[in-house]
Amino acid sequence: MRLCYLAAVLCALCAVSPVEAAPKVGVLYSSWSNASFKNEFDQHLKTLGWPSEKLHNREVAQWIGRLDEFDLIVATSVANYEQPQDMAPYKEAWLRFLERGGGILIVDASYDSVLDLWMSRLGPDFMLRTAGCAPYTKK
């Protein structure tokens, strides 16, 4: 169900007319649980006909200079969970990517490794936080 919803969101966010080139997608993943989420979007991207490339979070220094090759970065579940990378050194590259029209879709934003170590490092306009659900914070 969750993946069907995400596929619909992807379609709505990045609808492509027949004369436009399909967007190139970078799929960010981590090694958590033997990289079990690495292929989470393969079928959806294949159905859409969108070319994609897998980007391992711990190799960010190697691929960050290639962000201009992508139109969309999809962060899989637990994308920056194992061996979390601090994106502060790459802030300017991420901001250039967004300013030129690139998009970031984070499907699992409940970890500081995605919020504090990534999005919140891009500046005050990108500050994100998470907190426990009310049943866990109230008597």
Side-chain angles (χ1 to χ4, degrees):
M1 173 89 165
R2 178 175 148 208
L3 288 179
C4 291
Y5 172 74
L6 292 171
V9 169
L10 282 174
C11 288
L13 287 175
C14 301
V16 178
S17 73
V19 296
E20 293 179 15
K24 183 168 181 190
V25 180
V27 179
L28 183 63
Y29 72 97
S30 76
S31 294
W32 186 83
S33 186
N34 296 317
S36 60
F37 292 99
K38 179 180 180 178
N39 303 320
E40 184 174 20
F41 292 96
D42 285 0
Q43 187 58 50
H44 300 293
L45 294 170
K46 182 180 176 184
T47 299
L48 292 167
W50 295 0
S52 65
E53 180 179 335
K54 305 296 172 65
L55 305 171
H56 198 291
N57 71 318
R58 71 172 177 228
E59 297 170 352
V60 63
Q62 295 159 5
W63 53 257
I64 195 73
R66 297 179 44 233
L67 277 179
D68 281 346
E69 297 176 23
F70 302 98
D71 300 295
L72 177 66
I73 300 296
V74 175
T76 64
S77 298
V78 297
N80 195 33
Y81 188 70
E82 185 166 307
Q83 297 175 313
Q85 302 299 303
D86 184 346
M87 298 294 180
Y90 312 108
K91 173 184 177 177
E92 294 307 316
W94 283 114
L95 291 175
R96 277 192 310 274
F97 171 73
L98 293 169
E99 287 169 3
R100 73 156 176 83
I104 300 173
L105 176 60
I106 299 173
V107 299
D108 193 2
S110 59
Y111 299 101
D112 281 338
S113 57
V114 168
L115 301 177
D116 185 49
L117 286 177
W118 184 3
M119 293 309 297
S120 294
R121 301 294 169 117
L122 302 184
D125 291 338
F126 298 92
M127 299 301 287
L128 298 171
R129 294 285 181 254
T130 185
C133 298
Y136 298 104
T137 59
K138 297 179 180 178
K139 292 182 181 178

